[in-house]
Amino acid sequence: MSDMLPDPPERQALLSVRDLAVHIRTDAGLARILDGVSFDLPPGGTLGVVGESGCGKSTLLRAILGILPKGAMVPSGQVLFQGEDILRKPVRGRIGFIPQDPFRSLNPVFRAGDQLLEGMRRHAPGTRDDHRKKLISLFNAVQLPDAHNALDKYPHEFSGGQRQRLLIAAALACDPDLVVADEPTTALDVTTQREILALLRGLTAERNMALLFVTHDFGVLSAVCEDVAVLYAGRVAELGPTGNVLADPRHPYARMLLACHPDRATDLIGIPGTVPAATAQPPGCRFHPRCPIARPSCARSVPEAVRIFDGSRVACPFHADALPEVALV
Amino acid sequence: MRLFAALFAALMLFATPPAGAQPRPLVWGDTLPATLDMHVVFDVPSQFVLLNAYDGLYRYQGNDLVPWLAESHTVSTDGLTWEFKLRRGVKFHDGSDLTAADVVYSFHRLLALKRAPAAAFTPVLAPENVTAPDAHTVRFVLSQSYGPFLAAMPIVAIVNPRAIAPHVKNNDWGAEWMASNDAGSGAYVVNAGNYQARVALDMQRFPEHFMGWGHNQRPIDQVRSRPVMETSTRVLSLMRGEIDSTDSYLPTDQVERVNRNPRTRVAQDQSMRVFLLRMNNSKAPFNNLDVRLCFAHAFNYEGFNEIILKGLVVRNAGPNPNNLWGNPAGMQPYKFDLALARQHCDRARAAGVPLNREIEIHVQTELEQTVQAAQMFQADLRRVGVNLKIVPNTFAGIVTATAQATTTPDMWVHWVSAYFIDPENWVGQMYDSRFHGTWKASSWYTNPEVDRLLTRARNSVVQAERQELYAAATAIIFRESPDIWVYNTVNLRGLTRRVQGYSFSPVGSGGELRLMSLSE
Amino acid sequence: MARFILRRVLLALPALLGLVLLTFVLTRVIPADPAAMLAGDAATPAQVAEIRTRYGLDQPMWRQAVTHVRQVLTGDLGSSIFTGRPVAEEIGFRLPATLELTFVARFLSVVLGVPLGLVAALDHNGPVDQIVRLLSVGGLAIAGFWLAIMLQLLFCMEWELLPLRGRIDVALGVPPGFSGLYLLDSLLAGRLDLFVDALRHLVLPAVTLCLPGLASIARFTRSGVLETLQKDFVLYARAAGYSPFRLATIYVLRNAVTVTVTQVGLLFGALISGAVAVEAIFDWPGLGTYAVQAILAADYKALLAVTLVVGVVYAVVNVLVDVAQALVDPRVAEQMK
Amino acid sequence: MRKLLRDPVASLGLAIVLFALVVAAFAPWLAPYPEDAFESHLLQRLKPPSAEFPFGTDYLGRDILSRIILGTRNAIAVAVAVVGASMLIGVPMGLLAGWRDNWVSDVLMRVTDVFLAVPQLILALALGQLMSPGLGTAMLALSLTYWPFFTRTVYAETRRLRGALFVDALAGIGATPTRILLLHVLPNAAPAVLVRATIGMGFTILTAAILGFLGVGAAPPSPDWGLAVAEARQHLPESWWFATFPGLAILLLVLGFNLLGDGLRDVADPRLRRSR
């Protein structure tokens, strides 16, 4: 019951997520965090994933990175990385990870080097010395000041921006084919944010790395990503080239989201109702209780994905309908 | 994990001590005194040090007083002047000769420190009246004739002034040094380097001891005293051979078990240690004779002596031990008779004696028997309508409380041991009102006639006269029932069977090592 | 770091002074009269009165307190009024016994408690977790004196595997050495037989004594690990490819033990207190039994000194704990600067 | 409450505590030989467990089961009294010390530190000798050493809460500090205090037992459990039942309180609840 069929393999996908569902058992019942998520990411491609908090972005990342929380179940679907199903056997080293919060992502009681070198020790060839050299050269590449001594410092001795540079360098350390970034700039101030984004874009392009970029900031999105997937309540609502989706969103949810905050859709102020709890997903289209153009059928069946002219796919059979004015104020 | 396994294997390997090692020293498990200074302490544990590291002018062997450092003595007819002839050739542990001057020094030290062992002498003896007419004669001139003088002589350790001299500080008679060192002439020498107060005392044989070692073919060379605090641990350590002797208060429940063990036995000897329940005669309700008689008939002597203590004690009618002189003839002990007890109590109630309040009985928590006696008494008194309340206390606490009549508890339970063998040690110091304020006289019994008889007995040196006077006093006291006398102790000391030659004396409870040997 | 330690030491001083005064007041209101104890079994009231004067026991309480504090400040703990020996010397014999016992017990609590807490956390809410939880709560519920007796009953009386009492077999004598810690001394002297014997004597008391600490340490390690496991940096480390074992044992544990280290210190005072009953049962010649004897003998000098020494040990351990914490977690040292 | 019951270990604790409370309340009716609190029967001393005496008899021939049942009352009474008294001292001190940072607070916390540095059992022992040893003295000694734990708990809670928005708001509308402390801060600190009190019950029962064992707690013929273990010592190993069953009773009741406290802590502390 996928709501969106994968593309025919025109290009050989680097990362292919197929019909992925992740459920977690909680005190309040079964939480269906992700349901039938599918998309492809070609080598060197950049895909942004947007959506509000709680829509499943982080879980998606964790599924790809193979660090799903204890108790998570995957009732269906596959995540293929270079053709291997990494849900069964996670790959390390070939996927770099840039976490959301540079402040909290480093263990305060270990030196930076001890932590960053550990991944290389296990997943990159060469001696510890080689690793150190490589990291330091990467530090220079990410313009980390005092790169030479950085490995011997404790995390609290770096500023936020420096720490994020550190983590970007670390993500690139094993020469991965894919870098997964989880809102890497939200914890930083605007100037730093811009620099870091430019750096990230430059480095991945230069090394031909694919980038999977999670954010809820449309502005960041347009700066970094070729394609974008809009997630709502664990499903992909709309997927297409970034420019097109931003300029002319088709899914009612995406349209309302962008109408509220054209370049900074951080929350859903202006859209009536709330995101459903993962344990109480509505039947049919999960957006229908809040959708201004919902029809009775929306509550009965999961909408099929519809391919539109520019290659985008929209999970709404009524995507061509106009929204009432009032919903867009 | 492998380390742990190896460790465990090693532990098991050593679980049995290696055989064929040198003979195990004698390990004495009895309580140690607070200090080694025999002029400072005077209690049951101190006798162990007194008898082994030190000598006195006289010594008890069994129940008999025998000349020891003295060869003989004479006493003037008025009983005031005593002369002791000393043996020749007695050596202190440092090799120097023991002379009359050393005896004089010892008495001066004792009387100057004025601690417990001096109590028997201070009323009748001033320091300047102890003199040495020659090197082998010591003369005492008493201010008053004193019957128990000779009996008290073994209390005083003769110490070596030459050993003490270098350690005297602030005119303290070397008290600090003496607390953990040895300045004696006794059959055993203290190893001061290993001494830990109340924990460890090591001694080795003194081959030059003046009595020689001819009496003992295989004397014990090394003695280690390791007091075991808890009764049960003490008994079990004995049965496992970790110690060679318990204290002399072995619980009667353990006797059979210790005797059954192939390694151990119990030495049973009738002692002179009277177990009694005191009553505070100075306060209501015990200022009433009927109440005292009621209580005296409410104690289940037979149940306590025969069932709880398994018959390992001897019923004692009065304050003096049965096996001592000075008791009136034909004294019949009080019997357990609740009907009679109730009559007495009813009569007291009718006379307006307040018997409804809770009567407090203080026990010595660390001595189980005192608790058992009180509990049993409590149950029986309930049947005659008297409520007894058991209050745990320590000997220290009780001694303090008994310093004044008002703070002395209603009742308390204890023993009176043999410090010297003379009725003075029991009836004399317990019921003469001049001793009020000491724990021995803590029933605050007052009877001018008894005071008169006891004083006369104390001041006499004629045995027949003393015998008569003590018997007369005891008869009066018995009728007035100021306390509840329960039994005379059979001394019970657990010993390993390898200990030979153990020989009992009521003074020191058989702790004289000189007489013992070890069979292997 | 030196300044940091100094600051901690200075902070501990007022508490110690308070302790000196408090114990003084408490010990002096014990009704048992030290003078009467001193005078002994057969003393007369006059003798008791004289001793009271000689030891200044007839002075007003405040005066005695001032004298006492002054003496303590000059390092003079006085002489035991019971044994007549310098208290410092007596404690010198007793302290190593207690320290050896408590250190070994604490060592056992840590080496057993930390892994237990760790496996419990890793099996969060699973059967292992529940068992460890029951055990750790049970460990805190068990009465040490009773456990000690039961262990004696089994290991010493029924199976005769281990010695019943004391620190070392009497026939073997005391290991030569300066520290008074028998394990250390016998090793330094190269006497393996003494070492093994001392160890055998230590097993039961140390096991008894380690239990409450083990239980708390397991608990604190468990919650520390659980809390750490929630941290972002653990997620990041997993993504970066740490092996699960290394992650659990080193990466997470080091954060979790900061809490545990504090506990080790806080529990140390309780440990010495707990040693009282255990020492009495195993006849261990340590501070606990010394304190009990002092109380029974109304030996207030000794009791004061014991409380003071225990207070100092407690304070020292707490300073050490802070230092250890600063070593484990660089941020602590940072804050203290 | 429902949360507590869903936790099997905590419900076990609750069950034990409730069971003990019932036993304590109906002790004289439940005990097979209720008069054995005082009576002695010398002829049947130290009998092993049998149908007549399920836990055997002690050294005065008293039924151990009866005495354990009767002793429950003691144990719980001591715990309630000590914890109650400690709370009466500790809670106000904690509120006072935690509310402001001034010299009063400093002094109070230093005093607390002093009491925390005192070796607890030794202090209790010394105090046990203070008056005549007995249950009352033991309770006094335990209260005197336990209150600092409440002070610390309440102090920490008060400091945490005094910075909370609602406190500022209350102060803004003119509520007096006393009112804020008693009506707003205290109820918020109550869960922490409750947890501490529950664990304190177990701790107190344990310490009281140690005092009883060392001879400065309950006095004979009180059917106190710690006292019973002490009385039993010299009858080991033959009369193993004499020491074993009272010890098990202590273990069970303390375990009950500790498990309950553990469960309550999880419920009361949302931070830890998450990690449960």
Side-chain angles (χ1 to χ4, degrees), chain A residues 41-62:
Chain A
L41 181 61
T46 49
L47 174 69
V49 179
V50 291
E52 311 155 70
S53 321
C55 68
K57 292 180 309 234
S58 298
T59 305
L60 178 61
L61 279 197
R62 295 175 71 153

PDB file of all heavy atoms in Angstrom, chain A residues 41-62:
ATOM      1  N   LEU A  41      17.609   8.674  -4.271  1.00  0.00           N
ATOM      2  CA  LEU A  41      18.607   9.746  -4.293  1.00  0.00           C
ATOM      3  C   LEU A  41      19.763   9.274  -5.157  1.00  0.00           C
ATOM      4  O   LEU A  41      20.391   8.268  -4.845  1.00  0.00           O
ATOM      5  CB  LEU A  41      19.066  10.054  -2.872  1.00  0.00           C
ATOM      6  CG  LEU A  41      20.090  11.160  -2.709  1.00  0.00           C
ATOM      7  CD1 LEU A  41      19.548  12.498  -3.212  1.00  0.00           C
ATOM      8  CD2 LEU A  41      20.499  11.280  -1.252  1.00  0.00           C
ATOM      9  N   PRO A  42      20.011   9.983  -6.299  1.00  0.00           N
ATOM     10  CA  PRO A  42      21.106   9.555  -7.177  1.00  0.00           C
ATOM     11  C   PRO A  42      22.459   9.943  -6.595  1.00  0.00           C
ATOM     12  O   PRO A  42      22.528  10.806  -5.722  1.00  0.00           O
ATOM     13  CB  PRO A  42      20.828  10.327  -8.464  1.00  0.00           C
ATOM     14  CG  PRO A  42      20.110  11.549  -8.018  1.00  0.00           C
ATOM     15  CD  PRO A  42      19.327  11.176  -6.800  1.00  0.00           C
ATOM     16  N   PRO A  43      23.564   9.337  -7.074  1.00  0.00           N
ATOM     17  CA  PRO A  43      24.895   9.748  -6.618  1.00  0.00           C
ATOM     18  C   PRO A  43      25.093  11.225  -6.872  1.00  0.00           C
ATOM     19  O   PRO A  43      24.735  11.732  -7.935  1.00  0.00           O
ATOM     20  CB  PRO A  43      25.847   8.903  -7.467  1.00  0.00           C
ATOM     21  CG  PRO A  43      25.033   7.769  -7.967  1.00  0.00           C
ATOM     22  CD  PRO A  43      23.621   8.264  -8.061  1.00  0.00           C
ATOM     23  N   GLY A  44      25.599  11.904  -5.913  1.00  0.00           N
ATOM     24  CA  GLY A  44      25.855  13.326  -6.074  1.00  0.00           C
ATOM     25  C   GLY A  44      24.632  14.189  -5.963  1.00  0.00           C
ATOM     26  O   GLY A  44      24.722  15.411  -6.019  1.00  0.00           O
ATOM     27  N   GLY A  45      23.461  13.579  -5.812  1.00  0.00           N
ATOM     28  CA  GLY A  45      22.245  14.357  -5.735  1.00  0.00           C
ATOM     29  C   GLY A  45      22.052  14.986  -4.369  1.00  0.00           C
ATOM     30  O   GLY A  45      22.709  14.613  -3.398  1.00  0.00           O
ATOM     31  N   THR A  46      21.187  15.990  -4.286  1.00  0.00           N
ATOM     32  CA  THR A  46      20.866  16.591  -2.994  1.00  0.00           C
ATOM     33  C   THR A  46      19.364  16.610  -2.830  1.00  0.00           C
ATOM     34  O   THR A  46      18.645  17.143  -3.664  1.00  0.00           O
ATOM     35  CB  THR A  46      21.386  18.030  -2.897  1.00  0.00           C
ATOM     36  OG1 THR A  46      20.981  18.736  -4.057  1.00  0.00           O
ATOM     37  CG2 THR A  46      22.889  18.073  -2.765  1.00  0.00           C
ATOM     38  N   LEU A  47      18.928  16.004  -1.723  1.00  0.00           N
ATOM     39  CA  LEU A  47      17.507  15.945  -1.441  1.00  0.00           C
ATOM     40  C   LEU A  47      17.242  16.579  -0.087  1.00  0.00           C
ATOM     41  O   LEU A  47      17.871  16.223   0.899  1.00  0.00           O
ATOM     42  CB  LEU A  47      17.022  14.489  -1.442  1.00  0.00           C
ATOM     43  CG  LEU A  47      15.571  14.265  -1.011  1.00  0.00           C
ATOM     44  CD1 LEU A  47      14.610  14.828  -2.068  1.00  0.00           C
ATOM     45  CD2 LEU A  47      15.291  12.795  -0.774  1.00  0.00           C
ATOM     46  N   GLY A  48      16.315  17.520  -0.082  1.00  0.00           N
ATOM     47  CA  GLY A  48      15.898  18.090   1.196  1.00  0.00           C
ATOM     48  C   GLY A  48      14.642  17.399   1.686  1.00  0.00           C
ATOM     49  O   GLY A  48      13.784  17.049   0.904  1.00  0.00           O
ATOM     50  N   VAL A  49      14.575  17.174   2.968  1.00  0.00           N
ATOM     51  CA  VAL A  49      13.359  16.626   3.562  1.00  0.00           C
ATOM     52  C   VAL A  49      12.799  17.676   4.497  1.00  0.00           C
ATOM     53  O   VAL A  49      13.486  18.110   5.422  1.00  0.00           O
ATOM     54  CB  VAL A  49      13.644  15.323   4.334  1.00  0.00           C
ATOM     55  CG1 VAL A  49      12.364  14.792   4.957  1.00  0.00           C
ATOM     56  CG2 VAL A  49      14.255  14.283   3.403  1.00  0.00           C
ATOM     57  N   VAL A  50      11.561  18.123   4.209  1.00  0.00           N
ATOM     58  CA  VAL A  50      10.977  19.130   5.092  1.00  0.00           C
ATOM     59  C   VAL A  50       9.710  18.597   5.742  1.00  0.00           C
ATOM     60  O   VAL A  50       9.111  17.641   5.275  1.00  0.00           O
ATOM     61  CB  VAL A  50      10.627  20.439   4.346  1.00  0.00           C
ATOM     62  CG1 VAL A  50      11.886  21.161   3.920  1.00  0.00           C
ATOM     63  CG2 VAL A  50       9.712  20.154   3.176  1.00  0.00           C
ATOM     64  N   GLY A  51       9.330  19.245   6.776  1.00  0.00           N
ATOM     65  CA  GLY A  51       8.126  18.858   7.493  1.00  0.00           C
ATOM     66  C   GLY A  51       8.229  19.407   8.894  1.00  0.00           C
ATOM     67  O   GLY A  51       9.286  19.840   9.327  1.00  0.00           O
ATOM     68  N   GLU A  52       7.060  19.416   9.586  1.00  0.00           N
ATOM     69  CA  GLU A  52       7.094  19.950  10.932  1.00  0.00           C
ATOM     70  C   GLU A  52       7.718  18.929  11.858  1.00  0.00           C
ATOM     71  O   GLU A  52       7.934  17.778  11.511  1.00  0.00           O
ATOM     72  CB  GLU A  52       5.675  20.214  11.430  1.00  0.00           C
ATOM     73  CG  GLU A  52       4.831  20.974  10.473  1.00  0.00           C
ATOM     74  CD  GLU A  52       3.380  20.654  10.731  1.00  0.00           C
ATOM     75  OE1 GLU A  52       2.905  21.093  11.776  1.00  0.00           O
ATOM     76  OE2 GLU A  52       2.755  19.962   9.918  1.00  0.00           O
ATOM     77  N   SER A  53       7.936  19.380  13.099  1.00  0.00           N
ATOM     78  CA  SER A  53       8.409  18.449  14.110  1.00  0.00           C
ATOM     79  C   SER A  53       7.379  17.343  14.268  1.00  0.00           C
ATOM     80  O   SER A  53       6.181  17.591  14.226  1.00  0.00           O
ATOM     81  CB  SER A  53       8.557  19.159  15.466  1.00  0.00           C
ATOM     82  OG  SER A  53       9.066  20.444  15.257  1.00  0.00           O
ATOM     83  N   GLY A  54       7.862  16.126  14.434  1.00  0.00           N
ATOM     84  CA  GLY A  54       6.953  15.019  14.655  1.00  0.00           C
ATOM     85  C   GLY A  54       6.437  14.380  13.389  1.00  0.00           C
ATOM     86  O   GLY A  54       5.629  13.474  13.448  1.00  0.00           O
ATOM     87  N   CYS A  55       6.914  14.845  12.218  1.00  0.00           N
ATOM     88  CA  CYS A  55       6.401  14.241  11.000  1.00  0.00           C
ATOM     89  C   CYS A  55       7.207  13.019  10.594  1.00  0.00           C
ATOM     90  O   CYS A  55       6.863  12.327   9.657  1.00  0.00           O
ATOM     91  CB  CYS A  55       6.371  15.249   9.865  1.00  0.00           C
ATOM     92  SG  CYS A  55       8.019  15.710   9.347  1.00  0.00           S
ATOM     93  N   GLY A  56       8.293  12.757  11.319  1.00  0.00           N
ATOM     94  CA  GLY A  56       9.043  11.536  11.027  1.00  0.00           C
ATOM     95  C   GLY A  56      10.388  11.762  10.378  1.00  0.00           C
ATOM     96  O   GLY A  56      11.058  10.812  10.004  1.00  0.00           O
ATOM     97  N   LYS A  57      10.800  12.997  10.277  1.00  0.00           N
ATOM     98  CA  LYS A  57      12.083  13.282   9.625  1.00  0.00           C
ATOM     99  C   LYS A  57      13.238  12.575  10.327  1.00  0.00           C
ATOM    100  O   LYS A  57      14.057  11.888   9.701  1.00  0.00           O
ATOM    101  CB  LYS A  57      12.384  14.798   9.667  1.00  0.00           C
ATOM    102  CG  LYS A  57      11.464  15.633   8.830  1.00  0.00           C
ATOM    103  CD  LYS A  57      11.866  17.091   8.950  1.00  0.00           C
ATOM    104  CE  LYS A  57      12.001  17.488  10.389  1.00  0.00           C
ATOM    105  NZ  LYS A  57      11.250  18.619  10.841  1.00  0.00           N
ATOM    106  N   SER A  58      13.292  12.748  11.656  1.00  0.00           N
ATOM    107  CA  SER A  58      14.412  12.188  12.386  1.00  0.00           C
ATOM    108  C   SER A  58      14.421  10.672  12.314  1.00  0.00           C
ATOM    109  O   SER A  58      15.470  10.051  12.147  1.00  0.00           O
ATOM    110  CB  SER A  58      14.351  12.622  13.840  1.00  0.00           C
ATOM    111  OG  SER A  58      14.455  14.011  13.907  1.00  0.00           O
ATOM    112  N   THR A  59      13.219  10.099  12.393  1.00  0.00           N
ATOM    113  CA  THR A  59      13.153   8.641  12.321  1.00  0.00           C
ATOM    114  C   THR A  59      13.637   8.151  10.974  1.00  0.00           C
ATOM    115  O   THR A  59      14.335   7.138  10.874  1.00  0.00           O
ATOM    116  CB  THR A  59      11.716   8.188  12.601  1.00  0.00           C
ATOM    117  OG1 THR A  59      11.309   8.738  13.845  1.00  0.00           O
ATOM    118  CG2 THR A  59      11.617   6.677  12.661  1.00  0.00           C
ATOM    119  N   LEU A  60      13.293   8.880   9.950  1.00  0.00           N
ATOM    120  CA  LEU A  60      13.758   8.523   8.620  1.00  0.00           C
ATOM    121  C   LEU A  60      15.280   8.505   8.582  1.00  0.00           C
ATOM    122  O   LEU A  60      15.909   7.560   8.098  1.00  0.00           O
ATOM    123  CB  LEU A  60      13.195   9.534   7.605  1.00  0.00           C
ATOM    124  CG  LEU A  60      13.620   9.348   6.155  1.00  0.00           C
ATOM    125  CD1 LEU A  60      13.156   7.995   5.639  1.00  0.00           C
ATOM    126  CD2 LEU A  60      13.064  10.464   5.278  1.00  0.00           C
ATOM    127  N   LEU A  61      15.880   9.559   9.156  1.00  0.00           N
ATOM    128  CA  LEU A  61      17.341   9.632   9.196  1.00  0.00           C
ATOM    129  C   LEU A  61      17.921   8.454   9.958  1.00  0.00           C
ATOM    130  O   LEU A  61      18.895   7.843   9.542  1.00  0.00           O
ATOM    131  CB  LEU A  61      17.777  10.912   9.917  1.00  0.00           C
ATOM    132  CG  LEU A  61      17.783  12.186   9.136  1.00  0.00           C
ATOM    133  CD1 LEU A  61      18.617  13.222   9.871  1.00  0.00           C
ATOM    134  CD2 LEU A  61      18.352  11.942   7.760  1.00  0.00           C
ATOM    135  N   ARG A  62      17.296   8.185  11.080  1.00  0.00           N
ATOM    136  CA  ARG A  62      17.850   7.129  11.922  1.00  0.00           C
ATOM    137  C   ARG A  62      17.720   5.778  11.235  1.00  0.00           C
ATOM    138  O   ARG A  62      18.582   4.909  11.392  1.00  0.00           O
ATOM    139  CB  ARG A  62      17.157   7.115  13.284  1.00  0.00           C
ATOM    140  CG  ARG A  62      17.434   8.397  14.052  1.00  0.00           C
ATOM    141  CD  ARG A  62      16.667   8.463  15.347  1.00  0.00           C
ATOM    142  NE  ARG A  62      17.216   7.506  16.312  1.00  0.00           N
ATOM    143  CZ  ARG A  62      17.134   7.653  17.632  1.00  0.00           C
ATOM    144  NH1 ARG A  62      16.533   8.702  18.136  1.00  0.00           N
ATOM    145  NH2 ARG A  62      17.638   6.750  18.422  1.00  0.00           N
TER     146      ARG A  62
END
